[in-house]
Amino acid sequence: MHALISVSDKTGILEFSRELHALGIKLLSTGGTAKLLADNGLPVTEVADHTGFPEMLDGRVKTLHPKIHGGLLARRDLPEHIAAIKAHNIETIDLLIVNLYPFEATVAKAGCTLEDAIENIDIGGPAMVRSAAKNWKDVGVLTDASQYAGVLTELKTDGKLSDTTKFALSVAAFNRISQYDGAISDYLSRIQADGSHALFPAQSNGRFVKLQDLRYGENPHQKAAFYRDLYPAPGSLVTAVQLQGKELSYNNIADADAAWECVKSFSEPACVIVKHANPCGVAVGADSLEAYSKAFKTDPTSAFGGIIALNRTVDAASAQEMAKQFIEVLMAPAYTPEALEVFKAKANVRVLQINLPDQLGKVGNTDWQNGRNAVDVKRIGSGLLMQTADNHELALSDLKVVTKAQPTPAQMQDLLFAWKVAKYVKSNAIVFCANGMTMGVGAGQMSRLDSARIASIKAEHASLSLKDTAVASDAFFPFRDGLDVVVNAGATCVIQPGGSMRDAEVIAAADEHGVVMVFTGVRHFRH
């Protein structure tokens, strides 16, 4: 057997090559890899000696040769193929171990130039990988160091690779080439004539890896699967570890993402309860127990069968309180052993552990480093809508008090809390808050008036008083009537984007009521 080894990332390659040599497999290699093997006492033939043709053009041409591709592509079951390679003194290659020039890592670096990117586009590597993967029945192709151990085990046990293994390696190889070419296309498609980079590429190449098939989609008659980004952001839902419970459903995952994204936005201990993609209760507290208890009070009816997310460790006390209700999914960065014991009695509860981005030590200046999508995508008929994600963080300097009444420090704190929650509520969104908890949430209505009325009704059903509450509206009030409804319900301060043709009318109404109104200048529609 012959193995051709040509790797940019040399992780584990020396140990792997030693094992191949011990199995009697002859080693063939290129430049830097060949030198590494030879320097460590392994007998290796350089590709240039094998082909009789020297590397040239700064190494751009070395494996693009009939002795390489003939050895990879020749079908062992076709006599005419065997006769052809014998006539041209070509030896078969049975194993190909290749990983590609680090294009993705290169373009991810600050200050990467077009020249840097182009020089890190691999040509010979993908060509060999495609040849070997096409001829998978005769050639095992390895494109990642994680495959080395499994291949060695099988070679030691059976003396060869099974067709099942070779086909799986082939599929992985074609996937890797697709990912690599997609990364190149995405990068180059952003480059403008003046050398600047467009925010959105001329062609978008999605690169996602399937995590699991799901029992069904939103409804039982729909099929579904769960995918993650090839390079997921740290602290995102797809990085979760399920500690117990039934298999996650399509709707579980969608709702869990809404809850987790919301709870991550708080620096203080917080709890978010989501039902049908909308927060039905959000609160901050001294610890997980207080945060959960306050969030649950907002809407106990909707919280039944809800999704709960916390951004602090769940201890026994908070677990015992949560276990009193029916929970579909629970998420937190950590659990005490005592808390996990509590949930063992609720075997169907899906318990997920997800590290927050700052726990991973990766918080930085980019959305990805902070566990957030940089771009949001929505599927439409035969197309996509793409936009930068709504990652705007409100600063005090952004706020403009537009009424005669000025907010107290406590009111300002409630306004900022309400605004943070409203961002995660489906439009039209109206959120009443007080003392670090939601008091009433109106979501997803065609009329902002209806959202305001529903929020009031929900507060009444939960026996919560809206007196002296703060209200957030995700978009401006187009008329004064919406303001009248929330003030009549008990609100004394309101935060909204502003920007309506009738802002003056709405501000005058606020002054008439003697309430505070603050403009943010930012809208948070969430469809």
Side-chain angles (χ1 to χ4, degrees):
M1 290 179 68
H2 289 80
L4 172 52
I5 306 171
S6 181
V7 293
S8 292
D9 178 1
K10 295 176 174 54
T11 302
I13 196 61
L14 181 58
E15 296 77 9
F16 183 56
S17 299
R18 282 187 177 130
E19 296 280 4
L20 294 179
H21 172 63
L23 291 169
I25 297 172
K26 296 179 181 178
L27 306 179
L28 179 65
S29 189
T30 56
T33 307
K35 184 176 186 306
L36 173 68
L37 301 184
D39 287 348
N40 283 274
L42 286 171
V44 58
T45 302
E46 287 205 39
V47 162
D49 295 329
H50 179 74
T51 62
F53 199 92
E55 290 188 15
M56 60 184 297
L57 307 181
D58 297 319
R60 288 188 174 197
V61 177
K62 51 191 173 187
T63 59
L64 297 170
H65 192 281
K67 281 201 169 185
I68 299 300
H69 288 273
L72 292 169
L73 284 165
R75 286 181 52 177
R76 281 47 157 185
D77 62 334
L78 294 180
E80 57 270 33
H81 279 206
I82 300 302
I85 63 173
K86 282 185 177 179
H88 294 283
N89 197 28
I90 295 174
E91 293 183 289
T92 57
I93 298 170
D94 309 286
L95 283 176
L96 177 71
I97 302 95
V98 168
N99 55 57
L100 310 176
Y101 290 178
F103 179 84
E104 295 102 326
T106 298
V107 298
K109 294 176 183 175
C112 173
T113 65
L114 177 59
E115 183 178 359
D116 292 334
I118 294 295
E119 285 306 310
N120 278 278
I121 295 176
D122 203 329
I123 302 300
M128 288 191 293
V129 168
R130 290 176 68 89
S131 292
K134 177 175 180 175
N135 199 24
W136 65 269
K137 287 188 176 181
D138 296 314
V139 184
V141 52
L142 288 73
T143 50
D144 191 89
S146 63
Q147 299 165 331
Y148 296 169
V151 165
L152 276 176
T153 297
E154 195 164 326
L155 288 173
K156 288 178 179 179
T157 303
D158 303 324
K160 62 179 183 178
L161 298 179
S162 67
D163 282 354
T164 299
T165 297
K166 287 185 288 187
F167 184 71
L169 292 171
S170 170
V171 172
F174 278 121
N175 287 343
R176 176 63 188 124
I177 297 302
S178 172
Q179 295 158 3
Y180 195 72
D181 288 344
I184 294 168
S185 172
D186 281 345
Y187 176 82
L188 296 179
S189 293
R190 283 192 170 95
I191 296 178
Q192 307 293 301
D194 63 0
S196 63
H197 287 220
L199 185 59
F200 301 106
Q203 176 171 310
S204 178
N205 303 276
R207 297 188 297 284
F208 301 93
V209 178
K210 187 165 74 174
L211 293 178
Q212 66 187 94
D213 288 309
L214 302 174
R215 287 178 297 158
Y216 54 82
E218 283 185 290
N219 300 290
H221 63 275
Q222 294 172 268
K223 304 295 184 185
F226 182 25
Y227 289 78
R228 67 161 173 78
D229 279 315
L230 182 62
Y231 304 110
S236 52
L237 178 67
V238 297
T239 66
V241 176
Q242 185 166 349
L243 303 181
Q244 75 158 56
K246 297 189 296 184
E247 178 183 316
L248 288 163
S249 72
Y250 181 99
N251 293 329
N252 288 157
I253 294 167
D255 287 349
D257 184 62
W260 186 246
E261 290 302 307
C262 183
V263 83
K264 281 197 307 185
S265 68
F266 292 93
S267 56
E268 57 269 71
C271 175
V272 176
I273 306 175
V274 162
K275 193 70 172 287
H276 296 301
N278 275 302
C280 61
V282 181
V284 294
D287 52 27
S288 291
L289 175 58
E290 184 183 6
Y292 165 73
S293 299
K294 290 167 67 177
F296 181 74
K297 288 178 184 176
T298 302
D299 190 352
T301 301
S302 297
F304 180 83
I307 311 291
I308 301 177
L310 298 109
N311 64 357
R312 293 294 191 277
T313 297
V314 174
D315 59 14
S318 53
Q320 287 164 358
E321 191 65 25
M322 285 185 279
K324 294 176 182 178
Q325 74 163 104
F326 170 43
I327 304 170
E328 285 279 1
V329 181
L330 174 63
M331 293 167 286
Y335 301 85
T336 65
E338 295 79 12
L340 292 177
E341 279 297 319
V342 171
F343 288 111
K344 279 185 180 178
K346 300 251 182 184
N348 287 336
V349 177
R350 302 159 178 91
V351 177
L352 307 183
Q353 183 170 332
I354 316 176
N355 286 319
L356 292 165
D358 58 354
Q359 290 178 311
L360 300 169
K362 292 183 179 178
V363 171
N365 297 322
T366 69
D367 289 321
W368 185 91
Q369 288 171 308
N370 284 288
R372 302 180 300 200
N373 291 332
V375 175
D376 282 340
V377 177
K378 182 176 290 187
R379 194 79 167 96
I380 61 169
S382 297
L384 294 175
L385 288 171
M386 298 182 70
Q387 63 175 351
T388 56
D390 185 6
N391 293 331
H392 181 271
E393 295 182 6
L394 191 66
L396 287 175
S397 58
D398 297 328
L399 301 180
K400 180 181 179 183
V401 180
V402 295
T403 50
K404 295 173 184 175
Q406 298 293 303
T408 66
Q411 285 179 320
M412 183 60 77
Q413 189 171 355
D414 280 339
L415 287 170
L416 292 174
F417 176 85
W419 183 251
K420 185 172 288 191
V421 174
K423 175 181 173 180
Y424 295 95
V425 178
K426 298 284 187 180
S427 298
N428 287 313
I430 293 290
V431 181
F432 287 84
C433 297
N435 302 316
M437 69 174 279
T438 48
M439 306 295 283
V441 179
Q445 300 304 304
M446 290 71 76
S447 161
R448 194 162 298 278
L449 271 173
D450 288 339
S451 289
R453 292 175 181 133
I454 288 170
S456 298
I457 292 169
K458 283 187 168 291
E460 183 180 356
H461 286 174
S463 300
L464 295 174
S465 171
L466 296 182
K467 187 176 184 298
D468 297 330
T469 51
V471 167
S473 173
D474 65 336
F476 60 66
F477 288 101
F479 303 96
R480 69 167 287 166
D481 53 3
L483 177 71
D484 290 336
V485 170
V486 300
V487 172
N488 290 337
T492 55
C493 52
V494 178
I495 188 168
Q496 59 130 321
S500 167
M501 292 174 57
R502 294 180 177 83
D503 273 350
E505 174 188 323
V506 177
I507 293 169
D511 284 334
E512 179 185 317
H513 286 294
V515 300
V516 172
M517 183 174 286
V518 176
F519 281 5
T520 65
V522 176
R523 188 181 74 186
H524 280 312
F525 271 165
R526 188 176 182 89
H527 289 104

